[in-house]
Amino acid sequence: MSLPAGVQRRSFGDEDGVLATRGEPAYGEPVVDGWRRWDAHRSKLGATFELGLDTGLSGGDAVLYLGAANGTTVSHVADFAGPTYAVEFAPRPVTDLLAVADSRERLFPLLKDARAPETYAHVVESGVDAIVQDVATRGQADVALSNRQFLADDGRLVAALKARSEDVTADPAAVFEDLLGRLSDGYEVRATARMEPFHEDHLAVVATPR
Ligand code: SAM
């Protein structure tokens, strides 16, 4: 699995081979020679790279990022990707996200609900190369399905599915099976991996549109 251009493995102190991107620091992360440490324990997409999944991201890609929160992960994405549309529906983290976007001219924060793609369809270009999804909310498969319209035919969905967001009591394996079944209404699932030890009870999914 190759990393996108613009993502490298660098040394930070006595730690070698740590993911990093080049850009303005965003959340107090260590920076060495302009390279920002990208901690897979704080980022589902970072963990997806560490787990070796082929995300299809190559660098310079147009990305629709769903569940941007305060911009921790999407700050790294905007360092290596092309236009990056960052959807987040909670106003407080969006305040931080706006600050992160200040130094990133390709990052476009959108205070929107990812369950209502019609509210940002006039902003997001159609045919994005990737949807990166980390919404941690009930109905994660439906969010992916309703945003599929933005994805290029050869694009990828790169999602982190959180079992407890769907059902706190159910066996995570059963929740993931159900979510993958629902995703198959609009996507062909190419690869999955449980995200431990980086993120408990999460499943990384790479899928292509049907
Ligand atoms: N991806 C972020 C990162 O790595 O930096 C962390 C995302 S956090 C796990 C999940 C985020 O999804 C929260 O900030 C939450 O407000 C947001 N979210 C949940 N449901 C959403 C929805 N329907 N539309 C937009 N954002 C949503």
Side-chain angles (χ1 to χ4, degrees):
M1 193 275 308
S2 59
L3 294 171
V7 181
Q8 291 193 3
R9 293 193 178 278
R10 311 284 299 189
S11 296
F12 289 84
D14 55 3
E15 266 188 288
D16 295 328
V18 179
L19 291 177
T21 62
R22 209 172 163 77
E24 286 298 311
Y27 51 93
E29 71 282 17
V31 180
V32 174
D33 297 335
W35 288 88
R36 310 169 51 222
R37 189 183 202 282
W38 188 358
D39 184 351
H41 291 273
R42 294 186 64 172
S43 167
K44 288 15 161 299
L45 183 60
T48 302
F49 288 132
E50 291 291 13
L51 292 165
L53 269 71
D54 182 2
T55 63
L57 290 161
S58 56
D61 332 72
V63 174
L64 172 59
Y65 191 108
L66 305 174
N70 53 7
T72 301
T73 298
V74 82
S75 69
H76 291 286
V77 173
D79 285 349
F80 71 78
T84 303
Y85 305 94
V87 175
E88 169 58 53
F89 75 171
R92 211 170 52 178
V94 168
T95 309
D96 295 338
L97 183 58
L98 288 169
V100 166
D102 265 353
S103 62
R104 292 175 171 83
E105 60 185 22
R106 297 187 301 272
L107 177 57
F108 306 106
L110 298 168
L111 177 59
K112 297 288 182 189
D113 187 334
R115 293 167 299 190
E118 68 279 7
T119 62
Y120 47 87
H122 60 295
V123 180
V124 177
E125 63 195 74
S126 63
V128 297
D129 301 301
I131 294 175
V132 178
Q133 178 177 316
D134 180 20
V135 288
T137 188
R138 199 179 173 89
Q140 294 163 93
D142 295 332
V143 168
L145 289 168
S146 63
N147 283 274
R148 177 187 169 284
Q149 59 184 295
F150 296 108
L151 201 51
D153 291 345
D154 60 351
R156 307 261 179 129
L157 168 72
V158 183
L161 303 179
K162 182 177 181 180
R164 276 178 295 154
S165 293
E166 300 292 334
D167 186 334
V168 281
T169 58
D171 173 18
V175 174
F176 295 142
E177 199 180 319
D178 181 49
L179 285 172
L180 292 175
R182 281 199 268 154
L183 268 184
S184 68
D185 282 349
Y187 291 95
E188 186 163 340
V189 174
R190 300 284 177 178
T192 65
R194 287 289 292 255
M195 301 187 85
E196 290 86 357
F198 301 103
H199 302 278
E200 228 176 279
D201 294 337
H202 281 74
L203 188 74
V205 177
V206 177
T208 48
R210 278 188 192 280

